[in-house]
Amino acid sequence: FLGSRASPMRRMGPKRLVPSPLAVTDLSVDYLVVSHNHYDHLCEDTLRAIVNKAEVRVVTTLGLKPLFRRLGFSDIVELDWYQQLEIEGLKFTALPAYHFSGRSLWDTDQTLWASFAIEGPEGRVFFAGDTGYGPEFRRIGELTGPYDLALVPIGAYGPPSVFAAVHATPEEAVKIGEDLQAKHLVGMHWGTIRLTTEPFWEPRARFLDTASDTRRHVLGIGETRSFK
């Protein structure tokens, strides 16, 4: 998400509060891994601006191919949970997540949402997408773990009475990493737009303060870091 608003409307809806460190045109994209179709994850302005669409392979969930075709992409692979794609030395596996989908009032849960495992010569990465916490992560860890790195969502959880089923708290994000047997955790899905009621900077502190043997990291906007 590199757009100005997570919304179908240009003048209304959650606004980006932290400037993007780069423009889409600064990127040469090889693969797009898209977990679901919510506006803060699938931003049409961002995707339209990708200049090398003919060379990009999109890996996404069931039901999203028509949207990507409309945006100018042609090489699109839809995966169901536990389906895999192996290409060019990489393996992508779509995995369960506790969430939902929809871009309007009329298409709720008409397309799939997922987390993803990405495996290559340099290691194994888990991308949680957007998710609440539940027992399926222990099963994922048993079947597909361990992971070198897991990208886990730590924000948009307040109030828990509303969002507990679909957005993990920072403590639950750490538990996801433990269930996955991940060596490193990177907190994501926070600090860019305001979707919910928790204090804006709270997710970072709670994520880093949670007692765990799993190493936790929160990257600065635009930061590059190596993990070993």
Side-chain angles (χ1 to χ4, degrees):
F1 172 74
L2 296 176
S4 60
R5 290 187 185 273
S7 170
M9 297 169 285
R10 295 191 177 276
R11 299 182 183 276
M12 297 180 64
K15 184 179 180 180
R16 172 180 282 275
L17 301 177
V18 177
S20 173
L22 47 75
V24 185
T25 50
D26 295 327
L27 301 173
S28 179
V29 180
D30 297 308
Y31 291 89
L32 280 174
V33 179
V34 180
S35 61
H36 65 298
N37 69 355
H38 285 158
Y39 286 93
D40 57 326
H41 293 259
L42 201 166
C43 172
E44 294 193 21
D45 287 346
T46 301
L47 296 175
R48 284 194 186 96
I50 292 175
V51 296
N52 63 325
K53 292 186 182 70
E55 303 164 13
V56 175
R57 170 153 289 182
V58 177
V59 182
T60 189
T61 56
L62 298 180
L64 289 181
K65 185 178 288 188
L67 191 155
F68 279 101
R69 287 200 182 280
R70 179 167 58 81
L71 294 173
F73 297 89
S74 58
D75 190 352
I76 307 151
V77 178
E78 294 181 335
L79 297 178
D80 199 353
W81 289 351
Y82 288 104
Q83 281 191 321
Q84 294 181 336
L85 168 69
E86 294 191 46
I87 185 170
E88 298 177 344
L90 295 174
K91 181 166 69 174
F92 299 88
T93 307
L95 294 164
Y98 296 90
H99 203 55
F100 66 107
S101 67
R103 291 175 75 79
S104 73
L105 296 175
W106 301 277
D107 67 342
T108 301
D109 294 346
Q110 295 301 300
T111 63
L112 188 62
W113 55 95
S115 58
F116 284 89
I118 305 168
E119 183 175 355
E122 297 183 4
R124 307 182 74 244
V125 175
F126 181 85
F127 167 52
D130 208 351
T131 186
Y133 177 70
E136 191 66 23
F137 289 110
R138 179 174 294 276
R139 182 168 182 261
I140 291 171
E142 292 170 351
L143 292 174
T144 70
Y147 289 89
D148 300 294
L149 175 67
L151 310 175
V152 292
I154 65 173
Y157 49 81
S161 59
V162 175
F163 291 104
V166 294
H167 285 161
T169 65
E171 295 79 11
E172 289 171 332
V174 174
K175 181 61 175 171
I176 289 172
E178 292 173 341
D179 289 352
L180 295 169
Q181 306 168 53
K183 185 177 179 181
H184 294 273
L185 299 182
V186 170
M188 63 173 189
H189 199 262
W190 79 286
T192 303
I193 56 178
R194 183 180 294 282
L195 295 173
T196 45
T197 61
E198 75 273 2
F200 197 62
W201 301 111
E202 179 182 87
R204 180 185 188 278
R206 286 177 55 173
F207 178 65
L208 295 178
D209 289 346
T210 299
S212 175
D213 292 332
T214 305
R215 283 174 266 185
R216 280 147 291 137
H217 314 266
V218 176
L219 277 61
I221 298 294
E223 179 183 353
T224 298
R225 191 181 301 183
S226 297
F227 295 93
K228 296 182 179 180

